[in-house]
Short mmCIF file of all heavy atoms in Angstrom, two decimals:
data_model
loop_
_atom_site.label_atom_id
_atom_site.label_comp_id
_atom_site.label_asym_id
_atom_site.label_seq_id
_atom_site.Cartn_x
_atom_site.Cartn_y
_atom_site.Cartn_z
N SER A 12 -9.11 -2.01 6.06
CA SER A 12 -7.73 -1.57 6.26
C SER A 12 -6.78 -2.24 5.22
O SER A 12 -6.72 -3.50 5.19
CB SER A 12 -7.26 -2.11 7.67
OG SER A 12 -5.94 -1.70 7.88
N TYR A 13 -6.19 -1.42 4.46
CA TYR A 13 -5.25 -1.86 3.34
C TYR A 13 -3.83 -1.65 3.81
O TYR A 13 -3.40 -0.38 4.08
CB TYR A 13 -5.56 -1.10 2.02
CG TYR A 13 -6.90 -1.32 1.53
CD1 TYR A 13 -7.90 -0.18 1.67
CD2 TYR A 13 -7.23 -2.31 0.60
CE1 TYR A 13 -9.15 -0.34 1.22
CE2 TYR A 13 -8.55 -2.33 0.05
CZ TYR A 13 -9.47 -1.42 0.34
OH TYR A 13 -10.65 -1.51 -0.09
N HIS A 14 -2.98 -2.51 3.78
CA HIS A 14 -1.58 -2.44 4.08
C HIS A 14 -0.79 -2.27 2.80
O HIS A 14 -0.69 -3.14 1.98
CB HIS A 14 -1.14 -3.63 4.81
CG HIS A 14 -1.56 -3.65 6.36
ND1 HIS A 14 -0.77 -3.70 7.31
CD2 HIS A 14 -2.91 -3.65 6.69
CE1 HIS A 14 -1.52 -3.75 8.52
NE2 HIS A 14 -2.83 -3.65 8.17
N VAL A 15 -0.21 -1.00 2.59
CA VAL A 15 0.52 -0.75 1.40
C VAL A 15 1.88 -1.38 1.52
O VAL A 15 2.39 -1.67 2.62
CB VAL A 15 0.58 0.74 1.23
CG1 VAL A 15 -0.93 1.30 1.01
CG2 VAL A 15 1.14 1.44 2.35
N ASP A 16 2.60 -1.31 0.16
CA ASP A 16 3.88 -2.01 0.21
C ASP A 16 5.01 -1.01 -0.03
O ASP A 16 6.28 -1.52 0.21
CB ASP A 16 3.86 -3.01 -0.86
CG ASP A 16 3.85 -2.37 -2.28
OD1 ASP A 16 3.44 -1.24 -2.48
OD2 ASP A 16 4.42 -3.09 -3.27
N TYR A 17 4.63 0.23 -0.08
CA TYR A 17 5.85 1.14 -0.38
C TYR A 17 6.65 1.48 0.92
O TYR A 17 7.75 2.22 0.79
CB TYR A 17 5.36 2.45 -1.00
CG TYR A 17 4.26 3.24 -0.37
CD1 TYR A 17 4.40 4.03 0.75
CD2 TYR A 17 2.96 3.07 -0.92
CE1 TYR A 17 3.38 4.72 1.31
CE2 TYR A 17 1.87 3.82 -0.38
CZ TYR A 17 2.07 4.58 0.74
OH TYR A 17 1.01 5.30 1.33
N TRP A 18 6.23 1.04 2.08
CA TRP A 18 7.09 1.00 3.23
C TRP A 18 7.98 -0.10 3.45
O TRP A 18 8.85 -0.09 4.28
CB TRP A 18 6.14 1.18 4.53
CG TRP A 18 5.69 2.50 4.85
CD1 TRP A 18 4.54 3.09 4.40
CD2 TRP A 18 6.44 3.54 5.52
NE1 TRP A 18 4.41 4.39 4.92
CE2 TRP A 18 5.64 4.75 5.65
CE3 TRP A 18 7.58 3.47 6.35
CZ2 TRP A 18 5.90 5.84 6.32
CZ3 TRP A 18 7.98 4.77 7.10
CH2 TRP A 18 7.08 5.86 7.01
N ASP A 19 7.87 -1.16 2.59
CA ASP A 19 8.53 -2.34 2.88
C ASP A 19 10.10 -2.38 2.75
O ASP A 19 10.70 -3.31 3.16
CB ASP A 19 8.00 -3.55 1.94
CG ASP A 19 6.61 -4.04 2.35
OD1 ASP A 19 6.10 -3.52 3.41
OD2 ASP A 19 5.85 -4.71 1.69
N ASN A 20 10.57 -1.31 2.15
CA ASN A 20 11.95 -1.17 1.85
C ASN A 20 12.57 -0.23 2.95
O ASN A 20 13.73 0.26 2.71
CB ASN A 20 12.32 -0.79 0.50
CG ASN A 20 11.64 0.64 0.13
OD1 ASN A 20 10.96 1.15 0.98
ND2 ASN A 20 12.04 1.20 -0.99
N GLN A 21 11.92 0.01 4.01
CA GLN A 21 12.37 0.88 5.11
C GLN A 21 12.75 0.25 6.39
O GLN A 21 12.71 0.84 7.33
CB GLN A 21 11.29 2.01 5.43
CG GLN A 21 10.81 2.83 4.15
CD GLN A 21 11.94 3.62 3.69
OE1 GLN A 21 12.72 4.30 4.33
NE2 GLN A 21 11.94 3.65 2.34
N GLY A 22 13.14 -1.01 6.16
CA GLY A 22 13.54 -1.89 7.33
C GLY A 22 12.70 -2.98 7.91
O GLY A 22 13.07 -3.85 8.54
N TRP A 23 11.48 -2.89 7.45
CA TRP A 23 10.47 -3.90 7.84
C TRP A 23 9.51 -4.15 6.64
O TRP A 23 8.86 -3.30 6.20
CB TRP A 23 9.80 -3.40 9.16
CG TRP A 23 8.76 -4.41 9.53
CD1 TRP A 23 7.47 -4.46 9.58
CD2 TRP A 23 9.05 -5.67 10.24
NE1 TRP A 23 6.71 -5.51 10.05
CE2 TRP A 23 7.71 -6.26 10.47
CE3 TRP A 23 10.07 -6.46 10.65
CZ2 TRP A 23 7.67 -7.54 11.02
CZ3 TRP A 23 10.11 -7.73 11.12
CH2 TRP A 23 8.79 -8.27 11.48
N ARG A 24 9.36 -5.43 6.39
CA ARG A 24 8.23 -5.85 5.40
C ARG A 24 7.09 -6.38 6.12
O ARG A 24 7.06 -7.17 6.93
CB ARG A 24 8.92 -6.94 4.60
CG ARG A 24 7.83 -7.37 3.51
CD ARG A 24 8.28 -8.52 2.71
NE ARG A 24 7.22 -8.93 1.64
CZ ARG A 24 6.18 -9.53 1.89
NH1 ARG A 24 5.73 -9.87 3.13
NH2 ARG A 24 5.20 -9.74 0.78
N ASP A 25 5.98 -5.57 5.87
CA ASP A 25 4.75 -5.70 6.44
C ASP A 25 4.18 -7.09 5.88
O ASP A 25 3.97 -7.11 4.60
CB ASP A 25 3.77 -4.46 6.02
CG ASP A 25 2.38 -4.57 6.72
OD1 ASP A 25 1.98 -5.64 7.12
OD2 ASP A 25 1.81 -3.47 7.00
N VAL A 26 3.75 -7.97 6.73
CA VAL A 26 3.31 -9.29 6.22
C VAL A 26 1.94 -9.16 5.59
O VAL A 26 1.50 -10.11 4.84
CB VAL A 26 3.26 -10.31 7.44
CG1 VAL A 26 4.67 -10.66 7.99
CG2 VAL A 26 2.35 -9.75 8.50
N PHE A 27 1.22 -8.09 5.83
CA PHE A 27 -0.13 -7.96 5.17
C PHE A 27 -0.06 -7.05 3.93
O PHE A 27 -1.13 -6.84 3.28
CB PHE A 27 -1.09 -7.36 6.19
CG PHE A 27 -1.22 -8.38 7.36
CD1 PHE A 27 -0.83 -7.73 8.72
CD2 PHE A 27 -1.87 -9.48 7.27
CE1 PHE A 27 -1.01 -8.61 9.71
CE2 PHE A 27 -1.99 -10.31 8.33
CZ PHE A 27 -1.55 -9.76 9.68
N SER A 28 1.14 -6.57 3.64
CA SER A 28 1.20 -5.60 2.52
C SER A 28 0.94 -6.14 1.19
O SER A 28 1.07 -7.46 0.89
CB SER A 28 2.56 -4.97 2.43
OG SER A 28 3.63 -5.91 2.05
N ASN A 29 0.40 -5.25 0.24
CA ASN A 29 0.14 -5.84 -1.11
C ASN A 29 0.18 -4.62 -2.11
O ASN A 29 -0.32 -3.60 -1.80
CB ASN A 29 -1.26 -6.33 -1.16
CG ASN A 29 -1.79 -7.05 -2.50
OD1 ASN A 29 -1.38 -6.59 -3.46
ND2 ASN A 29 -2.44 -8.14 -2.32
N PRO A 30 0.96 -4.82 -3.24
CA PRO A 30 1.15 -3.72 -4.07
C PRO A 30 -0.13 -3.15 -4.77
O PRO A 30 -0.33 -2.20 -5.20
CB PRO A 30 2.00 -4.28 -5.23
CG PRO A 30 2.05 -5.88 -5.03
CD PRO A 30 1.71 -6.01 -3.59
N ASP A 31 -1.14 -4.12 -4.69
CA ASP A 31 -2.37 -3.76 -5.31
C ASP A 31 -3.12 -2.62 -4.34
O ASP A 31 -3.87 -1.85 -4.99
CB ASP A 31 -3.42 -4.82 -5.36
CG ASP A 31 -3.09 -5.99 -6.45
OD1 ASP A 31 -2.22 -5.62 -7.37
OD2 ASP A 31 -3.52 -7.17 -6.38
N TYR A 32 -2.77 -2.75 -3.17
CA TYR A 32 -3.46 -1.66 -2.29
C TYR A 32 -2.73 -0.34 -2.31
O TYR A 32 -3.33 0.74 -2.37
CB TYR A 32 -3.38 -2.14 -0.74
CG TYR A 32 -4.00 -3.60 -0.62
CD1 TYR A 32 -3.64 -4.29 0.44
CD2 TYR A 32 -4.91 -4.01 -1.58
CE1 TYR A 32 -4.14 -5.64 0.63
CE2 TYR A 32 -5.65 -5.20 -1.22
CZ TYR A 32 -5.22 -6.05 -0.33
OH TYR A 32 -5.73 -7.22 -0.05
N SER A 33 -1.37 -0.44 -2.72
CA SER A 33 -0.73 0.85 -3.11
C SER A 33 -1.29 1.49 -4.21
O SER A 33 -1.47 2.77 -4.44
CB SER A 33 0.67 0.58 -3.11
OG SER A 33 1.33 0.03 -2.04
N LYS A 34 -1.44 0.59 -5.26
CA LYS A 34 -2.09 1.07 -6.59
C LYS A 34 -3.48 1.63 -6.30
O LYS A 34 -3.75 2.86 -6.87
CB LYS A 34 -2.15 -0.07 -7.50
CG LYS A 34 -2.75 0.28 -8.86
CD LYS A 34 -2.78 -0.99 -9.77
CE LYS A 34 -3.41 -0.59 -11.11
NZ LYS A 34 -3.55 -1.74 -12.02
N ARG A 35 -4.31 1.12 -5.43
CA ARG A 35 -5.66 1.62 -5.21
C ARG A 35 -5.42 3.09 -4.62
O ARG A 35 -6.31 3.92 -4.94
CB ARG A 35 -6.41 0.75 -4.41
CG ARG A 35 -7.80 1.12 -3.94
CD ARG A 35 -8.55 -0.02 -3.22
NE ARG A 35 -9.81 0.32 -2.88
CZ ARG A 35 -11.00 0.43 -3.72
NH1 ARG A 35 -10.86 0.16 -4.97
NH2 ARG A 35 -12.11 0.77 -3.34
N GLN A 36 -4.55 3.23 -3.66
CA GLN A 36 -4.40 4.53 -2.98
C GLN A 36 -3.93 5.47 -3.98
O GLN A 36 -4.49 6.66 -4.08
CB GLN A 36 -3.25 4.38 -1.89
CG GLN A 36 -3.21 5.61 -1.01
CD GLN A 36 -2.24 5.56 0.05
OE1 GLN A 36 -1.27 4.86 -0.01
NE2 GLN A 36 -2.27 6.36 1.12
N TYR A 37 -2.93 5.31 -4.82
CA TYR A 37 -2.58 6.17 -5.91
C TYR A 37 -3.66 6.55 -6.88
O TYR A 37 -3.80 7.66 -7.48
CB TYR A 37 -1.39 5.52 -6.75
CG TYR A 37 -0.08 5.92 -6.02
CD1 TYR A 37 0.44 5.00 -5.11
CD2 TYR A 37 0.66 7.09 -6.30
CE1 TYR A 37 1.70 5.23 -4.47
CE2 TYR A 37 1.81 7.35 -5.79
CZ TYR A 37 2.34 6.45 -4.86
OH TYR A 37 3.54 6.66 -4.21
N GLN A 38 -4.54 5.56 -7.09
CA GLN A 38 -5.71 5.82 -7.98
C GLN A 38 -6.65 6.86 -7.23
O GLN A 38 -7.17 7.75 -7.86
CB GLN A 38 -6.40 4.48 -8.28
CG GLN A 38 -5.67 3.68 -9.25
CD GLN A 38 -6.40 2.37 -9.44
OE1 GLN A 38 -7.11 1.78 -8.67
NE2 GLN A 38 -5.98 1.70 -10.51
N TYR A 39 -6.93 6.65 -5.95
CA TYR A 39 -7.70 7.54 -5.20
C TYR A 39 -7.02 9.12 -5.35
O TYR A 39 -7.67 9.95 -5.40
CB TYR A 39 -7.88 7.10 -3.83
CG TYR A 39 -9.01 6.29 -3.50
CD1 TYR A 39 -8.88 5.06 -2.78
CD2 TYR A 39 -10.23 6.50 -4.06
CE1 TYR A 39 -10.02 4.18 -2.42
CE2 TYR A 39 -11.50 5.67 -3.85
CZ TYR A 39 -11.30 4.45 -3.11
OH TYR A 39 -12.28 3.69 -2.88
N ALA A 40 -5.77 9.10 -5.01
CA ALA A 40 -5.06 10.31 -4.97
C ALA A 40 -5.24 11.04 -6.31
O ALA A 40 -5.39 12.30 -6.31
CB ALA A 40 -3.52 10.13 -4.69
N SER A 41 -5.26 10.29 -7.40
CA SER A 41 -5.33 10.96 -8.74
C SER A 41 -6.83 11.53 -8.87
O SER A 41 -7.07 12.71 -9.38
CB SER A 41 -5.16 9.91 -9.85
OG SER A 41 -5.39 10.58 -11.20
N LYS A 42 -7.86 10.67 -8.39
CA LYS A 42 -9.27 11.14 -8.54
C LYS A 42 -9.59 12.31 -7.59
O LYS A 42 -10.28 13.23 -7.96
CB LYS A 42 -10.14 9.90 -8.22
CG LYS A 42 -10.12 8.80 -9.12
CD LYS A 42 -10.61 9.09 -10.48
CE LYS A 42 -10.67 7.82 -11.41
NZ LYS A 42 -11.10 7.97 -12.70
N LEU A 43 -9.02 12.22 -6.48
CA LEU A 43 -9.33 13.33 -5.38
C LEU A 43 -8.30 14.34 -5.40
O LEU A 43 -8.51 15.36 -4.68
CB LEU A 43 -9.36 12.56 -4.01
CG LEU A 43 -10.30 11.45 -3.80
CD1 LEU A 43 -10.12 10.85 -2.42
CD2 LEU A 43 -11.69 11.79 -4.07
#
């Protein structure tokens, strides 16, 4: 389970979020 960080500016910062995981998801989106 990867907690992404692009929700962090919507009123709540996820304590487990990491920009690296958002990057990984975007990389998957490009490949798939």
